[in-house]
Amino acid sequence: RHFEESGVSVATVHRTETLTASLDRIEALLRFERARDAGARARFLADFFGVVARASAQDRSVGGHLGRHFYLLSRKIAERNGLSGEHYIARSGAEARELFVSALGGGLIVVLMTLLKTYVLHAGLAPLFLAIAVWIVYAGGFLAMQACGFTLATKIPSFAATRLAQWIRDARSKNDAREFAGEVGLVVKSQIYGLLGNVITVLAGAWVIQRAFVVWPSLPGVFDESYSVHTLEDLNPLRSTAVLLGALTGAELWASSICGGWFENFVVFRGIPEAIANHVRLRRIFGAETARRYSDRFLKHASGIATNISLGFFFAFVPIFGALGGLNLESKHVTIATTGATFAVTRLGVEGNASIIVPAVVGLALVATMNFGVSFALAMVVAVRAQNVRRAWVGHFIRSIWRKSPDM
């Protein structure tokens, strides 16, 4: 409870777990002291010193040290991400409708963001300034979504995975397994609502804008015929790296959620909300109640701000870093890619272009699968490790859901 209210640090978690391990050893030694059977005492000593020897060897291992640090860092971040995951799970019809409507707004901003990004790409800027401009476009669009209360569907898996890992940790009976299965179902349904809302607005918005370019040729359209063909061919799963880039984008989505969780924890641990609420000048100018409201609002949006800015950074600068090594690392985000494909199809027309449109649609489906699957899998691995859940237990637990076993 203290971690949740006051934030955590790697050092704090390490000290807490060191104390816990020391208490466990003391309890084990007390059990040995109370044991009367010589054989039992001998077996206990063998097991006890084996555990001590393995722990000592791990302390001297570079791999063990890195693994331990990764675990502590996971704990630090997952403690904060769990609350954010709740906001992306629709538990009632009203919440599902609210999520769908917010996703409609998110799709509209994606359309505008994609259009601005395309103009930036055609501006002929130097690579560094191009990356900065694209970062501003993406980060500005994502922050606008947050300010308007809109939803981007691909953010749901990485945040919801932390919540699901907490359910796995707490599950100890068949009833819990059923409840976990229900949670998984809610996450999947929420993802579908969000994705449908994004895609519907993307298709409609991109079609309207591109038709406006066709009706009024004087407008500065950027999706000419050659660029439209290139956009669709770049989604062909057999002739391009769209699927692999979709997996890379899933990793970027997960990494941005990690940045958001870390920043929110940093804000809480450093007491920044309390500093805002108790700031002398703020209280004098706006009043204590308004200062407290600003503090609560900053804490509420801290994770989203860091997530959106970091995601824009990944989308803008990873391709630049890839270009230094001669690699194409352009992000393939399903909603943004769907917007570009819609612009292209509207420009070219469907008739006579099925040979490039159909593979592009298949590519979009695979990109969506990689976006959601990779981000969810990575988030689940980190969250499960942070909750200190054994892999064997996770596998047994998930299998028991599908088998509907009578007990756990």
Side-chain angles (χ1 to χ4, degrees):
R1 286 195 299 269
H2 173 75
F3 283 165
E4 191 57 47
E5 294 171 0
S6 304
V8 295
S9 68
V10 173
T12 303
V13 174
H14 175 70
R15 287 195 295 269
T16 303
E17 295 192 345
T18 300
L19 287 171
T20 303
S22 299
L23 290 172
D24 290 341
R25 289 191 181 183
I26 291 172
E27 290 178 353
L29 290 171
L30 289 174
R31 288 195 298 272
F32 169 77
E33 182 66 23
R34 288 194 296 268
R36 295 289 178 258
D37 180 68
R41 291 167 70 93
R43 287 193 298 273
F44 173 85
L45 283 177
D47 293 339
F48 180 78
F49 285 114
V51 170
V52 173
R54 285 193 294 272
S56 178
Q58 187 176 18
D59 287 342
R60 291 174 172 81
S61 167
V62 175
H65 173 73
L66 293 176
R68 185 67 176 168
H69 182 76
F70 179 70
Y71 163 68
L72 295 175
L73 189 61
S74 302
R75 279 285 301 273
K76 174 180 177 178
I77 293 170
E79 291 287 344
R80 305 303 310 176
N81 262 359
L83 289 177
S84 299
E86 282 291 334
H87 304 321
Y88 291 97
I89 302 177
R91 301 186 179 279
S92 64
E95 291 182 355
R97 287 190 294 273
E98 182 180 352
L99 178 63
F100 178 75
V101 172
S102 69
L104 289 175
L108 179 60
I109 291 183
V110 167
V111 172
L112 299 176
M113 189 168 58
T114 304
L115 191 62
L116 286 175
K117 176 209 168 185
T118 307
Y119 280 122
V120 169
L121 292 178
H122 285 76
L125 299 175
L128 178 59
F129 298 108
L130 175 63
I132 294 174
V134 172
W135 183 19
I136 292 173
V137 170
Y138 275 131
F142 295 143
L143 289 173
M145 286 187 204
Q146 180 181 359
C148 297
F150 296 154
T151 299
L152 188 65
T154 46
K155 290 183 180 179
I156 296 176
S158 53
F159 282 101
T162 302
R163 180 60 184 151
L164 293 179
Q166 294 173 351
W167 275 83
I168 292 179
R169 179 198 62 187
D170 298 335
R172 290 295 183 271
S173 66
K174 177 185 176 182
N175 185 51
D176 285 330
R178 288 174 177 171
E179 291 182 5
F180 176 79
E183 286 290 303
V184 173
L186 288 175
V187 171
V188 173
K189 290 179 181 178
S190 300
Q191 181 66 76
I192 292 174
Y193 295 143
L195 182 60
L196 283 176
N198 285 163
V199 170
I200 287 173
T201 313
V202 158
L203 293 176
W207 184 85
V208 169
I209 291 176
Q210 186 60 29
R211 291 305 302 171
F213 289 145
V214 174
V215 175
W216 293 288
S218 58
L219 292 176
V222 292
F223 274 80
D224 55 22
E225 185 171 344
S226 61
Y227 188 75
S228 299
V229 171
H230 169 74
T231 299
L232 293 175
E233 289 180 343
D234 205 34
L235 290 170
N236 189 318
L238 298 179
R239 297 182 180 179
S240 71
T241 57
V243 177
L244 294 178
L245 294 177
L248 173 65
T249 304
E252 292 171 349
L253 290 164
W254 163 76
S256 68
S257 74
I258 293 293
C259 294
W262 175 86
F263 182 71
E264 183 181 4
N265 177 79
F266 173 84
V267 165
V268 174
F269 185 73
R270 297 298 178 184
I272 296 177
E274 288 76 12
I276 295 174
N278 297 312
H279 194 277
V280 176
R281 290 185 181 177
L282 283 178
R283 292 168 67 92
R284 184 182 303 159
I285 296 173
F286 300 105
E289 185 62 29
T290 303
R292 171 57 64 181
R293 253 196 331 269
Y294 287 153
S295 169
D296 295 339
R297 189 175 300 174
F298 175 73
L299 178 59
K300 178 181 178 181
H301 295 291
S303 176
I305 291 172
T307 298
N308 292 324
I309 292 176
S310 60
L311 184 58
F313 177 85
F314 292 141
F315 282 3
F317 280 89
V318 169
I320 298 296
F321 296 146
L324 295 177
L327 300 174
N328 175 22
L329 298 182
E330 185 71 31
S331 301
K332 286 295 180 204
H333 185 280
V334 58
T335 311
I336 298 174
T338 301
T339 306
T342 306
F343 276 127
V345 171
T346 308
R347 175 67 177 83
L348 296 174
V350 177
E351 186 176 354
N353 294 302
S355 60
I356 58 175
I357 294 176
V358 173
V361 173
V362 175
L364 284 172
L366 294 175
V367 165
T369 303
M370 299 306 291
N371 285 175
F372 299 142
V374 171
S375 63
F376 181 82
L378 290 173
M380 195 69 175
V381 168
V382 172
V384 165
R385 185 174 179 82
Q387 299 296 338
N388 202 21
V389 181
R390 292 179 299 174
R391 295 179 185 176
W393 163 247
V394 175
H396 174 72
F397 179 76
I398 294 177
R399 287 194 300 271
S400 69
I401 296 174
W402 300 112
R403 291 199 309 261
K404 296 185 175 14
S405 175
D407 54 37
M408 292 296 292

